[in-house]
Amino acid sequence: MSDLRIVYMGTPDFAVYPLKCLVEGGYNVVGVVTMPDKPAGRGLKLSESAVKKYAVGAGLPLLQPVSLKDERFLHELKALNPQLGIVVAFRMLPKVVWAMPERGTFNLHASVLPDYRGAAPINWALINGDTETGVTTFMLDEQIDTGDIIEVRKVPITEEDNAGTLHDKLMYAGGELVLHSVDRIEQGKLTLHKQPDISEKMRPAPKIFKDTCKIDWNNDIVAVKNLIRGLSPYPAAWTDFDGKYGAVSLKIFAVKTEFCSHGLICGEVVTDGRHALKVACNGGFIHILELQLSGKKRMDTEAFLRGNRMFDK
């Protein structure tokens, strides 16, 4: 059992597995900080974060401040007497929080820093067609994702990966890396490495907006496929088509490529009305395998075509 007093900060599913690793590994997690419950769904019922659900089930002390600068929260945090802070998929911390633990606070980031600093590193690695990414632990400082690096673990990206599968790969790799980083800190074997100053060459990972997700069928076929898998299953790439009954909006989750020459206008839809639905783009066709009509459930193409005649002549 480790005596090092750890405060853990995180919110979504990605942050649950590293916390679970710490708890099951016998580490001394003296407190968990997560986002306040917020209204969600049609009934606007209060929704608890994934980290809160795990922390409550594990019997861990929980703090849910609205403001990280709130005096009451800071008093409660200080009362936990934290020696080390760990942040995974949380929000930007004020210095008064990350500097409070005597051994500092480190963050787990889902990329090989300094590449993909920002909010959406998993998505952008796929959108850019990378074949490798990874996870990094680094000490927090005043800037976002710029602190001294503790360790890096690289993870291959396969052709079959999308944002969902890569999320899980990095989550599991991240859990192991968090434990190894804590061990190095506790044993006094920590050697930090400054991030290289290559700001003009590094690739950013800005937040994903709706316009980011819109498919441009004039793009290269590989770029279109990478956008779709880089946004699947969430928030999902989308497109507008002119159907038999007017314009429709579709989210697209899974595709395959057909490289060929064609004389069609990019964005033109080709279908047999029963099994296949493909879209012309630069360099061939994108075959749509899974999609979702606005307001409907996600389904495979055959099920979609059975219930929708919008592309009938």
Side-chain angles (χ1 to χ4, degrees), residues 170-247:
L170 295 175
M171 178 180 68
Y172 294 128
E176 295 172 1
L177 189 62
V178 164
L179 294 191
H180 197 254
S181 296
V182 172
D183 287 343
R184 289 182 61 187
I185 291 170
E186 188 170 34
Q187 295 167 14
K189 298 180 179 179
L190 188 62
T191 302
L192 298 175
H193 304 278
K194 288 191 176 296
Q195 293 192 39
D197 184 15
I198 54 170
S199 56
E200 72 282 357
K201 296 180 181 179
M202 71 180 189
R203 293 166 293 179
K207 187 176 180 179
I208 301 289
F209 294 98
K210 184 177 180 180
D211 286 348
T212 315
C213 304
K214 187 175 183 180
I215 301 169
D216 183 351
W217 298 106
N218 292 297
N219 282 339
D220 175 78
I221 186 172
V222 173
V224 173
K225 179 185 176 182
N226 286 338
L227 178 74
I228 291 167
R229 71 188 187 116
L231 298 170
S232 177
Y234 181 84
W238 65 276
T239 188
D240 289 329
F241 286 128
D242 290 324
K244 184 177 181 180
Y245 306 106

Side-chain angles (χ1 to χ4, degrees), residues 51-66:
V51 163
K52 177 181 178 177
K53 291 175 182 177
Y54 176 81
V56 170
L60 300 172
L62 186 71
L63 300 176
Q64 292 182 272
V66 173

Side-chain angles (χ1 to χ4, degrees), residues 77-91:
L77 186 63
K78 189 173 182 179
L80 295 173
N81 190 26
Q83 295 172 296
L84 176 67
I86 300 175
V87 180
V88 181
F90 196 44
R91 47 181 162 161

Side-chain angles (χ1 to χ4, degrees), residues 31-99:
V32 173
V33 183
T34 191
M35 295 286 283
D37 301 348
K38 59 181 181 180
R42 293 184 179 180
L44 295 179
K45 294 181 180 179
L46 288 180
S47 175
E48 299 176 340
S49 75
V51 163
K52 177 181 178 177
K53 291 175 182 177
Y54 176 81
V56 170
L60 300 172
L62 186 71
L63 300 176
Q64 292 182 272
V66 173
S67 169
L68 295 174
K69 295 181 180 180
D70 180 77
E71 289 297 329
R72 181 178 177 181
F73 162 67
L74 294 174
H75 177 77
E76 292 173 336
L77 186 63
K78 189 173 182 179
L80 295 173
N81 190 26
Q83 295 172 296
L84 176 67
I86 300 175
V87 180
V88 181
F90 196 44
R91 47 181 162 161
M92 188 173 179
L93 302 183
K95 184 174 181 178
V96 67
V97 173
W98 58 258

Side-chain angles (χ1 to χ4, degrees), residues 295-310:
K296 303 295 183 179
K297 292 182 179 179
R298 175 177 171 175
M299 61 186 72
D300 64 43
T301 295
E302 286 194 28
F304 174 80
L305 291 174
R306 282 197 302 269
N308 295 277
R309 315 307 303 180
M310 64 184 63

